[in-house]
Amino acid sequence: MTSSAQLQQWVRDSGNIVFFGGAGVSTESGIPDFRSVDGLYHQNYDQMPETILSHTYFMRNTEGFYRFYREKMLPLEARPNAAHQKLAELERVGKMKAVITQNIDGLHQLAGSSVVYELHGSVHRNHCMKCRTFYDAGFVRESTGVPRCPVCGGIVKPDVVLYEESLDQATVEGAVAAIGRAEVLIVGGTSLVVYPAAGLINYYRGDKLVLINRDPTPYDSRADLVIHDSIGKVLGGLQ
């Protein structure tokens, strides 16, 4: 049986699937990742992206943070690809119980998935640091300099988890519970080198761990099925 046929059978036979995904899920929608050859880490900036996207840099050089953030982190024209759409379809028919994502682009929800644990937050949620008034991504992108709250004048900060910041505990707990209950865990589009997020798959207790990624990962040897291919092609090909 081919790898694709095995995955097809597991998906067909299961009513409790959980998906855990990373940047590779969104690259096929035109959103660059960080670590690939043409990713953000290999582009030229005065500081490394992980420095600019840190809590310290945000507090010390807020205007510099927003110059980078508006240019590279707000691809609001991006649309869901075949992977996002198939995951949403599997939820509609009762098979996909949760999507856990390291991405902050909101494409899973745009495709129709409703149970989504966003480990690193979302660009679509922004709040004033003083009065907590909510603002959407459009407000931040259309602002200039440091976005300020029209209500109180406070700085508007995106609800994304910056380097040096902790993951939201309720989100992590929800993701851990979903993974622990899953019959089939599909992990796709992630290098599995970013912790603590990558460590969440250790909570899986089943025997149908599927890894779909173009390149090998540190967890390949522990998986029950490994497919080195495009996540959109693999998931989009499911019947």
Side-chain angles (χ1 to χ4, degrees), residues 53-65:
L53 296 174
S54 69
H55 180 82
T56 296
Y57 192 91
F58 177 85
M59 299 303 293
R60 290 179 178 174
N61 188 358
T62 310
E63 188 166 350
F65 169 89

Side-chain angles (χ1 to χ4, degrees), residues 2-31:
T2 66
S3 297
S4 296
Q6 181 67 81
L7 176 60
Q8 178 72 66
Q9 179 179 319
W10 286 351
V11 169
R12 184 181 61 244
D13 294 345
S14 178
N16 186 355
I17 306 169
V18 169
F19 179 80
F20 176 85
V25 180
S26 292
T27 54
E28 293 175 38
S29 290
I31 298 176

Side-chain angles (χ1 to χ4, degrees), residues 22-28 30-43 49 72-73 103 189-191 213-215:
V25 180
S26 292
T27 54
E28 293 175 38
I31 298 176
D33 66 0
F34 276 56
R35 292 174 173 79
S36 65
V37 173
D38 55 353
L40 292 180
Y41 280 161
H42 296 273
Q43 299 180 21
K72 295 298 181 183
M73 309 301 290
N103 299 332
T190 173
S191 58
N213 199 52
R214 289 185 181 276
D215 302 312

Side-chain angles (χ1 to χ4, degrees), residues 57-117:
Y57 192 91
F58 177 85
M59 299 303 293
R60 290 179 178 174
N61 188 358
T62 310
E63 188 166 350
F65 169 89
Y66 274 108
R67 279 198 300 271
F68 179 89
Y69 183 79
R70 287 191 189 93
E71 180 183 354
K72 295 298 181 183
M73 309 301 290
L74 289 175
L76 303 184
E77 294 78 18
R79 289 296 174 262
N81 60 54
H84 299 106
Q85 292 161 354
K86 178 57 68 172
L87 294 170
E89 177 187 322
L90 291 172
E91 182 187 287
R92 286 195 296 272
V93 298
K95 289 180 172 291
M96 184 66 56
K97 300 306 182 185
V99 169
I100 301 159
T101 181
Q102 295 171 285
N103 299 332
I104 59 176
D105 50 50
L107 291 181
H108 286 294
Q109 291 92 330
L110 191 59
S113 293
S114 60
V115 183
V116 182
Y117 294 101

Side-chain angles (χ1 to χ4, degrees), residues 125-238:
R125 297 188 301 270
N126 305 270
H127 289 87
C128 172
M129 297 177 70
K130 287 177 65 177
C131 71
R132 301 301 298 166
T133 298
F134 170 87
Y135 296 96
D136 63 16
F139 173 87
V140 173
R141 188 165 72 169
E142 293 162 15
S143 63
T144 57
V146 177
R148 294 279 180 176
C149 173
V151 177
C152 74
I155 295 173
V156 175
K157 183 178 184 293
D159 288 358
V160 299
V161 180
L162 302 179
Y163 289 96
E164 304 168 349
E165 294 180 344
S166 300
L167 302 186
D168 177 72
Q169 192 60 33
T171 302
V172 172
E173 290 173 359
V176 166
I179 290 172
R181 292 192 298 262
E183 179 183 9
V184 178
L185 177 61
I186 302 175
V187 180
T190 173
S191 58
L192 292 173
V193 296
V194 178
Y195 286 83
L200 294 183
I201 68 173
N202 293 324
Y203 292 94
Y204 178 60
R205 297 291 178 257
D207 58 2
K208 297 179 178 66
L209 173 60
V210 183
L211 296 188
I212 306 169
N213 199 52
R214 289 185 181 276
D215 302 312
T217 79
Y219 283 77
D220 282 9
S221 62
R222 296 172 49 181
D224 302 293
L225 181 63
V226 177
I227 302 176
H228 290 149
D229 206 342
S230 154
I231 184 74
K233 176 183 174 183
V234 174
L235 293 185
L238 293 174

